[in-house]
Amino acid sequence: MSLDALRSRLDTAAVLTDPDIMETYRQDWARAPHPGTPLAVVRAGSTQDVREVMRWATEYGVPVVPRGAGSGLSGGATAVDGGIVLSTELMRDIAVDPVTRTATIQPGLLNAEVKAAAAEHGLWYPPDPSSYEICSIGGNVATNAGGLCCVKYGVTTDYVLGMTVVLADGTAVELGGPRLKDTAGLSLTKLFVGSEGTLGIVTEVIVRLVPQQPPRSTVVGVFPDVVACSETVLAITRRTRPAMLEFMDNATIRAVEADLRMGLDTSAGAMLLAQSDLTGPDRAAEAGFMATAFTEHGATEVFSTDDPDEGEQFTVARRAAFTSLGKTGSLLLEDVGVPLPALPALVEGIETISTQRGVPIALVAHAGDGNTHPIIVSSDHDPDHAERARIAFGEVMDLAIGLGGTITGEHGVGRLKKDWLPDQLGDDVMALTRRIKDALDPQGLLNPGAML
């Protein structure tokens, strides 16, 4: 095959073959094992560029791995030998329409930049992954990303109204549009959200915006252990839907405190962070209810504040969990979720796995919607420890499936979790999934090895 034929269709500078540059595009943050060596990296600048890449790839049978900002946590953007890594990082246009309360965005724009552009018009884009400052909208759409506010405001798919998608053969299709209600045809937009680049490459997305979030009250509780913490979550979610409901276990608290020196209580078994953004007296009432629930379920200390800066400091601590723990060792990042009644059983089971396998498993969670992040701290220098960590990784997913849960709530299946997908979905759903994949990508060129 000839890269010259590809270069002739694109700006020459878009096709990168320098080994040192390509090395930085071989993996995402998850560091999935055995990344391939790509034939080239292409930095697309437009939908037309993506179309030309896929037409060339179809002609020569070359696999293509789409890539956003590289902040993925499931190995979804891992290069394959002899393939193309197609980066959308240079596609960064945005147009906000305050009348329809929508934004039309190219995939390379960061989540934080979308929020900032919306805020200029008094609007808000709610999905907020912990990595919102460095993750791209394209990656958010590919994995159906969630975040801290999603217990009340929903995940990425709840805000996607339309998109432009380039299919495997280079065809570009426009789905949906800036309409809040539209039931014409099949819901194809939803099909592509969360498909991890295996069905098509999203080159533009239209998202719904909402009025800016009202002021928030923050309630923080310190608990003796994560089980008491999770039971408090159930008591709260039976009665109300807070704007945020997050927890951190002791290992996470200690790692964040060692990293950021914020004055966190490192003796706490767990910490629960809740916020209310109701208006008027309802906000104080909801915050008061949550503080009472904390106390009734064993909190040894409860702190409440209406000060936005104080509340934001606790949010910063929660967002720092992954990076702070990453400074203590190599991480195997989980993203399992369960129906809320099973949350105490999940966190207790994770502690059991940690003890039995002799590997540290830190735990943070979007607790209000049952989406937990068990973080296995492994050692690259101890093969036995690394093997026990790998076994624990699978046992955590088996535990979640056994509790009626999921192997991923927002990070995606990628390459790290695909072996467990059939256990969750079952043979019939897997067969249906493969039929859809084969129909849209008959040569299997789009992100081979991810998800399926």
Side-chain angles (χ1 to χ4, degrees):
M1 73 193 69
S2 172
L3 281 176
D4 289 339
L6 179 59
R7 289 189 179 96
S8 69
R9 303 179 186 214
L10 304 167
D11 184 325
T12 303
V15 183
L16 308 176
T17 56
D18 182 281
D20 291 336
I21 295 177
M22 290 199 298
E23 181 64 29
T24 65
Y25 287 85
R26 293 178 66 210
Q27 292 179 293
D28 58 20
W29 204 87
R31 299 295 176 191
H34 314 303
T37 300
L39 180 66
V41 172
V42 175
R43 294 193 294 186
S46 65
T47 296
Q48 186 59 33
D49 283 352
V50 177
R51 297 186 68 187
E52 294 296 348
V53 170
M54 293 315 305
R55 287 169 177 167
W56 176 87
T58 297
E59 181 179 349
Y60 289 96
V62 178
V64 176
V65 175
R67 177 187 172 93
S71 63
L73 296 172
S74 65
T78 303
V80 298
D81 287 332
I84 296 293
V85 174
L86 180 56
S87 170
T88 59
E89 64 190 307
L90 300 183
M91 301 176 66
R92 294 176 42 78
D93 288 346
I94 182 171
V96 176
D97 183 348
V99 177
T100 61
R101 290 182 181 171
T102 63
T104 301
I105 313 163
Q106 288 188 321
L109 207 67
L110 302 182
N111 183 292
E113 293 173 319
V114 174
K115 293 183 185 299
E120 292 179 3
H121 300 271
L123 299 171
W124 180 41
Y125 178 66
D128 63 336
S130 295
S131 59
Y132 78 105
E133 292 176 314
I134 61 171
C135 64
S136 69
I137 287 295
N140 291 175
V141 171
T143 60
N144 193 18
L148 279 66
C149 292
C150 294
V151 58
K152 181 172 184 176
Y153 289 99
V155 296
T156 299
T157 191
D158 299 310
Y159 293 87
V160 175
L161 297 174
M163 61 175 61
T164 300
V165 184
V166 175
L167 304 179
D169 64 359
T171 301
V173 294
E174 294 185 5
L175 307 174
R179 300 174 290 274
L180 296 181
K181 297 176 70 175
D182 184 351
T183 61
L186 299 177
S187 183
L188 297 178
T189 302
K190 298 293 185 184
L191 178 64
F192 287 94
V193 178
S195 65
E196 302 184 38
T198 62
L199 302 181
I201 301 171
V202 176
T203 60
E204 187 174 88
V205 60
I206 301 171
V207 300
R208 178 171 63 94
L209 305 175
V210 298
Q212 284 187 330
Q213 187 180 24
R216 291 162 287 170
S217 293
T218 301
V219 184
V220 181
V222 172
F223 291 82
D225 55 63
V226 293
V227 175
C229 202
S230 63
E231 290 171 346
T232 308
V233 170
L234 302 188
I236 291 172
T237 55
R238 286 189 189 103
R239 288 271 306 275
T240 190
R241 181 182 288 182
M244 185 182 295
L245 194 55
E246 301 281 317
F247 77 57
M248 303 163 60
D249 74 346
N250 176 262
T252 308
I253 293 169
R254 287 188 287 108
V256 172
E257 177 60 21
D259 186 23
L260 302 182
R261 303 295 181 184
M262 303 180 72
L264 301 178
D265 182 358
T266 56
S267 68
M271 185 175 79
L272 191 59
L273 166 64
Q275 289 187 337
S276 172
D277 64 359
L278 298 179
T279 57
D282 291 339
R283 178 159 58 100
E286 184 177 53
F289 161 70
M290 292 190 290
T292 299
F294 284 15
T295 301
E296 290 177 347
H297 287 80
T300 57
E301 182 180 352
V302 178
F303 170 78
S304 299
T305 180
D306 294 328
D307 185 287
D309 293 331
E310 284 185 321
E312 183 60 23
Q313 286 304 303
F314 288 102
T315 304
V316 167
R318 167 60 187 87
R319 291 190 189 277
F322 289 166
T323 54
S324 295
L325 283 163
K327 297 177 182 179
T328 69
S330 297
L331 305 184
L332 279 170
L333 292 151
E334 297 269 18
D335 169 37
V336 296
V338 291
L340 276 170
L343 186 60
L346 176 66
V347 300
E348 190 170 23
I350 290 169
E351 285 192 331
T352 299
I353 292 169
S354 176
T355 300
Q356 289 178 343
R357 292 300 172 190
V359 294
I361 304 181
L363 186 63
V364 297
H366 306 309
D369 52 22
N371 184 193
T372 69
H373 298 311
I375 305 169
I376 301 172
V377 184
S378 180
S379 172
D380 293 333
H381 308 293
D382 183 345
D384 178 66
H385 189 277
E387 175 62 15
R388 285 184 279 117
R390 185 192 65 79
I391 294 172
F393 183 83
E395 289 178 337
V396 169
M397 283 188 280
D398 290 338
L399 172 64
I401 294 171
L403 292 171
T406 176
I407 61 174
T408 177
E410 58 185 5
H411 292 171
V413 174
R415 287 163 178 79
L416 295 182
K417 297 187 173 187
K418 68 174 186 175
D419 290 345
W420 287 268
L421 189 61
D423 294 336
Q424 178 181 330
L425 299 185
D427 292 342
D428 290 344
V429 174
M430 286 299 298
L432 177 59
T433 302
R434 291 190 178 100
R435 286 168 60 191
I436 295 170
K437 167 70 170 174
D438 291 343
L440 293 174
D441 182 18
Q443 292 180 254
L445 300 179
L446 284 168
N447 213 3
M451 193 183 299
L452 299 175

